[in-house]
Amino acid sequence: MPTRAIPFAFLARDVQNCLSMPNRPCSAICPSPARRRGGGTYTAGLLAIWCAVLTGAALLFASSGAYAQQRPGTAVTGRVHDAVSGAPIRGAEVAVEGRGIRAVSDTAGRYRLAGVPAGTQILVIRRIGYTLVRVSVLVPAQGTMTRDVALAVTALDLPEITVTAEPAARARGELGTASVIDQDAIANQTASSLLGVLELVPGIPLQPPGLGTPQQFAIRTVPTTTSIGLTTGGPSAADIASFGTAIVLDGVPLSNNANLQTLGPRGELALSSTAGGGIDLRQIPAATIQRVEVIRGVPSARYGDLTQGVVVVETRAGVVPPVLRGSFDANTLEGSFVWGRAFGNGHAVTLDADLAHTQIQPGILNDDAWRFTGQLAHHTRFGRRAPDDGGLALDTRVRFFQVLQDNPEQPEVEPGRASSNHDYGLRVAERAVVGREGGSRLTVTAALDAVRRESASQQYLVRGATPITDRLTEGRQEGRYVVGSYLASARLDGEEWNLFSRIEGEHPFAWLGFEHRPVAGLELRRDWNTGAGYQFDIEFPPQVTFNGVQGFDRPRRFDSLPPLVTSALYLDDHFHRQFGSVGLALQLGLRLDVLHEEGWFSGARDALLEPRVNAELAPWPWFRLRAGWGRTAKAPGLAQLYPEPQYFDVVNVNYFANDPAERLAILTTFVRDPTNGALGFSTGEKAEAGFEIANARGDAAFGLVAFRDRTTDGVGYRSEPTFVPRDRFTLDTTVAGQPPVVIEPPAATDTMPILIDRPDNVVTLENEGIEGTLVLPEIRPLRLTLAVQGAWISTRFFQDGPDFGRSFSDFQLDPTIPRAPYWDGVERTGTRALLTYRLIYHQPRLGLVVSGVVEHRVKETLEDIAATDTLAFNGYVTRTGQLVPVPPEERGDPQYADLRVPRSGAFLLPTETPPDWMLSVQVSKTLPLDGVLRFSAFNVLDRLGRLGERSQRTFPRLRFGIEVSMPLAGILPVGYRGP
Amino acid sequence: MRPARAVVLALWLGVGAPSLAAQAGGGSMGTFPSLDPAWARAWSPLAPLADLSRTLPQPPIAPALLIAPAPRVGLLWTAGTPAALGAEASDTRARLGLAGSGEGGDYRRPLDPDDVRSVRFEGAGWGGLGTNGAVVGRVLVGQITMDSASSSNIAAPYVTSPFVPTDTTSPTLRRVAAQLEGGIGGQFGGWGAGLTLGVLVNDDHSREASFPRIGRRSVPGVAAGLSRTLPVADLRLAAYGRWLGGAETLVLPGEPQPGIVHMLDGYSEPDPRAVTRTTPFFYRTDRSAWAGGLAVDGRLAGAVWTLYGERTRRKDAQVTDRQLDAPTDYWEGSGWTWGGALQGSAFGNRVLATVWGRYATLSGNATRADLTGDIVRANENVLDLAADIRYTTPDSSWQIATVGSLRREQRVRQDFIASIGSDVLALTPAVGVEIAHGFGSTAVSLGYGIGGYSAASTLPDPAAMGDVYRRLIGPEQELYARRALPMTASLTVRQHTSARTGLFLATRAYAVSPMGEAAGLTLAPTGSRLALDISLGVVLR
């Protein structure tokens, strides 16, 4: 196994020395390469560190608030008025996002914000009965600036509306590159789920709406070819990237770590599942999302269990005017409802529900998908003060979802073939925030996620005369034959559980002229799975690749697996200072992720210390230089930590006579456990640098960022050669009408080479590229705005370890072949350059927004890089599974003539797809009674895509539909009269 | 449906609503009927270009007294150029509504579906924008279910192009369609400029079919124009251009049951093409049409007049294989369109008279990738004349409108593979009347219209033609060779909820049936065709 560099080992040693634990190995925190995984017990040490940091955080929180409200900075004043009538609006809350600075407008609509830091800031204006408004402003270094703000019931009536990711925004509390997508932009997207919203991220291709297939999202990655055809399977680049993209929903991460809904590498039946990949985003409907932050750069230390980045999703909660929404297209019908009302004593209850149905292939198959989600949110505040002013608030979320996908049998098309995947989820999350005057706050979060997954698949399999055994333990026994066609079916019933808890303290203060907002926290996570597991009738096994050595799977219960337990400790400080007109902001973070053996109080299986740094220098308020570097860690999934045993059923006797009574099959079953006790974290290393330019009004911006993300030690399957013995027997076939008699002892015994697919940290994923966004100011006379975003991304994906190719199967079965070659793994690469132009026409007097989106595929390449000539082999494997390397200079020697064979497998020659483009449009228009009608057409010209010499791009087909949203504020009360 | 029943129903319902079939073949391009009169749709960038679609015989265009405003004449409302949008659409008018319709009967062409049901949402309107600008827009979304859909695999098989893919099945077909169009224009001194954009999309798929059919279509359109007011007799001169695209895709998976496809390309017998799971059928046609024109309007003796003329061109390309340099068949056409309108009023504007005229020609030729030279040539021309005279009583409680129309169409086609041709010269005179009366805030109108279709035809002898001709082409030819009686009737109720808002319920019926003897016409359809449309909506001013 390869070793890797240890980050910041000196820090770990310092911590160890400081805590005076000479008898506790510090490698629990930052282990040496050799000891890092599968180490001993470090419970006391870890607990001591946690307690120390927690105590520090509590002391920070409890210390007197020396951080006064009198911040240096600029005053921002203005007037809040109605966009249609021009009347002043009283009681609107105006806040500087992420700064804890807020004010309420007076009877004349006037507001004043003091101490606003220079540079680009986001003002957030709220008032019940009006749509939430976010305004980007460029705050000068000193003095006072004026910014009037218009509110409207419908965003389309506002003089300014943002229907793209905000050009200069940051994720809350973050300094790294991020795309912030707010509700207006979400509403303008043709999206059934979160995935459709994420098209506003640079480099992400547009996708048609629908729920037909599982939806995953990966940051800054080009999907490459998969390993099918080269090895027995394994993750793809997209799997690794989406697995390493964290999805945080309402402050609590979603977890796919315990998803076991896969049939394994040798399964023939198909299931729709995201096991081994990222979260299935179908469970998050776009209609209920308030805001999305996609942190593409280096996230703060608050975020863990990731390698690529973070998607932070905030659903609608609090006092929300009731809205009923329905959408319709040729494939999908969806309805949603959201309503939040206030009650006495600071309570607010929010209900949202969404029901959607998609016909996956209408007209061809009867397959369809249903989704239902519902959430009940309760927010309460004790006393009259908000947490920022020293109050206590509780936020409770109860969320349910179900995604049902059914592909029923169509006897006329293919008798027997059917599959289904039903997911049901329930989440209960509680967040308590207690604040002190001065901005200190302590947040405690606890959440329990339960997801039940029921998957089934069946189809007719056709077999020659194949001996099988149903033995569950090692040993020899008489088998039986399956012949011809039989209906094979498999079922997976699993219940994933995820427990998440976090305690976090935040204490702003000023020191050395810098305004600090340090955050410290402790996270505990536990993922486990229960349920009947992988079940099938062993008489009719669902696998196909049985060759007399590779065995058939066996049923497996999921509740026998140990849990996946992690903990993390982090400290992060976001601080900034103004030096005259020059602004400097830094974010330093340190996170310690620990993968435990079994429980939080057991030993550490792996640990990783992750420093993260982001810096921003603004020589002028309109210009920002930024850079970041950081390390992240992702825990392996439960399926990788505890893989199912591999069965090798060796055929000792295969006597298939015409008379069934005379047949005899004897097989010896060997069981190998592929569990890798040294399996640990995947490591992500992210680096980026860039700049941003914004105009004075804050409605135009240009930004460019270059990045290099590298995931090392990703979890793949290492093919480990070994062997099993095979006894050969002499048979007495003299008695007709009866099976032959086996004559003991075995006449001969030979060795059968086998490969054990052992999960290991052997995969590397490298992404580098450039992302850019450009938003031009509105051309007022024409009411036109142009926004361009683009990305060039190059991906390399490879796996350490030998590749045995397809010829290994022949080598297994033919004892006359003494050895077989092996090669280096294949490097899979992909490049994509994508530009997205959004031309937006906004006419507030008509309540009309028309946006045309051109997706320009500038460059797309795919290539598998591997040596395929006859001298490409690295060595050979013997029949006892030993690897014997052959030096390059000797590979032409006559003694290796049998190894000089063309490498077999499906290799992708370099392909480059011609540049091409596709147009989509959205039109939004207000209706009477403050309703909104939206029409959208994806790939409106129904372009098929240009054909290349060796490549064939096919754009997703034309899709179109309408959506109507109708407020019910006059029917259902919101119970809030305003401040 | 029996002809007598259709006539009785049409008489009972009363008034001259627009023909559903006429509108389906015209302004809505095969999607839905519309409540808007033809002049209110003239600005549409999706109006057909260089194509003279064939429709069932039509009664006159309806006045729609309670729903649509009085007819307008001008560069925008007659010639359709957006250059005059800012000048002619500065008042505010909008309509939103839901509608359902049904159509059925044996008197239909072979590529028409048997029974049709549809539901739709429609919104249309225009209004001023600022002091010098105006906008216009229209959205229409709905679903059509066609029981025993036709053998045609494309959405509009009765266009001038001879290329029509068909198969041997007629499954139930569900079509979801949407049409969205809008425009903006302004006046800048003596200049006017405008732009209209639109797209029509539909998504078709068969239901529970043993030989599934999946199709989709996108028809984008754009028009732009520039006008100049001349200092003479209120003259305005406009130049404009239009482009109408189109892409239509068809996929026949060929499973679970195989089927046979016939690619019609004229009167010759096409080779059958087997479609199976291993040899599925892919069809794609890309259409492109252009027009450039000049228009002028002015006032003369208190009357408003408009004249226009435009040159039109079209090129359609179809392939049945998705590969580089796939063999491509082409249909190319070009023609001229001339038109005009005149409107005057009398008796203190209580009488308003409007006449329209339009003459369009089209010559086209089809070529096939595997053959040299033209396979089909077509020469067609259509003349439409219409008049609308309406009277409003001094107390405005009564309105009466009479309409009259005359359509003359000549379609000459020569097939060089079958070495045979056809020539159809048809006339359709029609008249209609609509009477509306207000009862306080409620108004009711009744309308009725009737026409007579007759033709002089030279057609191929079916006995000498192939089976596909006799099944898919001959019946249409003979339908147009036989006399027919189209009728419409309508009943509209409008309730004013405020001075600027009114709710309406409109019911329209359309019936057509053959007349006289079908001497020598062995393939002509019999029976009748009846369509019924009910709309509920709101009119805003």
Side-chain angles (χ1 to χ4, degrees), chain A residues 9 13 68 163 208-209 263 284 291 298 349 364 370 373 420 438 466 473 501 674 726 741 776 810 832 842 923 977:
Chain A
R13 283 194 295 274
V163 295
L263 294 176
I284 306 174
R291 173 185 168 97
V298 181
V349 175
I364 302 178
W370 283 92
T373 67
S420 65
T466 305
T473 57
S501 62
R726 176 172 63 178
V741 176
L776 296 176
D810 296 334
R832 181 165 65 202
H842 175 212
V923 179
R977 295 185 180 84

Side-chain angles (χ1 to χ4, degrees), chain A residues 587-625:
Chain A
Q587 186 162 30
L588 305 178
L590 192 61
R591 182 182 177 96
L592 173 65
D593 274 304
V594 180
L595 174 63
H596 296 267
E597 291 286 357
E598 288 187 356
W600 291 306
F601 303 104
S602 68
R605 181 186 178 116
D606 194 7
L608 198 64
L609 198 60
E610 304 149 44
R612 301 179 193 178
V613 183
N614 277 295
E616 179 180 291
L617 178 68
W620 306 278
W622 51 269
F623 184 70
R624 294 191 286 189
L625 286 167

Side-chain angles (χ1 to χ4, degrees), chain B residues 94-115:
Chain B
R95 178 175 54 77
L96 293 171
L98 294 170
S101 65
E103 184 176 341
D106 297 333
Y107 187 70
R108 62 185 177 91
R109 300 165 293 183
L111 303 185
D112 287 329
D114 189 354
D115 293 324

